[in-house]
Amino acid sequence: MIKCIIFDWGMLFTTSDYDNMVEVFGLSKKKIWELEDKYSDKKDCSGFWKDIKNLGVDKTEKEISDIFNIDKILELNEMSDLLDKLSNYTLVLLSNQVSERTKILRKKYPGVMAKFRHVFFSDEIGLMKPDVKSFQFIIDKSGFNPEECLFVDDTKRHIESAKSLGIYGILFKSADQLKEELSKLSITF
């Protein structure tokens, strides 16, 4: 029986800022993802900014940092509303983020963050998905057994990693698809 639902953040609760970053940096999404993966478990973004500049991005650190202002990101209200309906479950957030974006997300979305019992960003806990240790961390902190947990993410390799510990997984495509999958698992909302 599922008691704990673990959610990713990006593309579930907000749209992506990658298109804006591609436009401003002139780098591919793949390259930006690689750099974010390199620094998402660090408390300091300075290496991220240095690597961006070393790739030929002719911007000051302030200009680069301002890109994370997230003005172009939209909140996906349907998912936030779903959290309200899942209040009988322990809700946990586990998201890979660089420290600049974590600060902005916490400031911009306190209402959504408050719906989770636990909020874990990779830069704050020093662990990143798909590392199995990040899921073990959640299990340890939440006090649930893996088979009592469900993980929802938009990245297949993250789902596969969670499943390797016995955590159920749903690959997120849309709020409607997620609701269907939750119903199949007898999760009421």
Side-chain angles (χ1 to χ4, degrees):
M1 172 186 243
I2 301 296
K3 297 178 181 176
C4 175
I5 305 175
I6 307 159
F7 289 93
D8 179 33
W9 179 268
M11 301 309 292
L12 277 75
F13 297 98
T14 56
T15 58
S16 170
D17 61 344
Y18 288 111
D19 290 336
N20 182 46
M21 291 168 65
V22 165
E23 181 181 327
V24 173
F25 292 160
L27 301 172
S28 69
K29 281 185 189 178
K30 182 179 184 214
K31 180 49 80 178
I32 294 167
W33 287 332
E34 287 172 4
L35 289 175
E36 284 202 346
D37 279 353
K38 184 175 175 182
Y39 293 102
S40 286
D41 61 345
K42 311 287 188 279
K43 293 192 181 301
D44 179 1
C45 271
S46 60
F48 177 78
W49 305 133
K50 183 179 176 186
D51 283 0
I52 291 281
K53 290 186 87 161
N54 287 342
L55 289 168
V57 175
D58 189 23
K59 306 268 184 220
T60 67
E61 188 171 316
K62 168 96 171 84
E63 289 172 318
I64 294 170
S65 179
D66 286 346
I67 292 163
F68 285 111
N69 196 346
I70 311 186
D71 286 335
K72 294 187 178 185
I73 289 186
L74 302 174
E75 184 175 345
L76 302 174
N77 293 320
E78 190 172 4
M79 285 298 296
S80 180
D81 294 344
L82 180 59
L83 291 180
D84 293 329
K85 296 174 184 172
L86 293 170
S87 61
N88 291 336
Y89 298 88
T90 296
L91 304 177
V92 176
L93 178 67
L94 175 63
S95 182
N96 290 351
Q97 298 292 340
V98 292
S99 60
E100 294 282 335
R101 191 179 293 122
T102 294
K103 291 173 195 166
I104 292 165
L105 290 173
R106 284 190 179 279
K107 183 177 180 179
K108 188 169 181 177
Y109 301 105
V112 179
M113 299 288 170
K115 296 176 185 190
F116 295 99
R117 180 170 301 163
H118 303 288
V119 175
F120 300 112
F121 287 107
S122 58
D123 65 294
E124 295 173 339
I125 64 173
L127 298 167
M128 262 178 36
K129 302 173 293 181
D131 188 341
V132 174
K133 291 176 189 171
S134 64
F135 298 103
Q136 187 62 55
F137 177 87
I138 298 298
I139 291 165
D140 295 344
K141 291 291 183 183
S142 70
F144 293 103
N145 294 319
E147 61 275 5
E148 296 174 311
C149 298
L150 167 67
F151 177 56
V152 181
D153 196 301
D154 64 320
T155 304
K156 187 176 182 178
R157 67 187 173 122
H158 298 170
I159 297 292
E160 291 169 353
S161 180
K163 284 183 170 181
S164 74
L165 285 178
I167 297 171
Y168 292 91
I170 294 176
L171 182 62
F172 180 84
K173 296 177 185 163
S174 71
D176 288 336
Q177 168 261 345
L178 176 59
K179 289 174 187 175
E180 275 184 42
E181 297 288 336
L182 293 173
S183 292
K184 289 177 189 175
L185 291 171
S186 300
I187 293 175
T188 56
F189 50 92

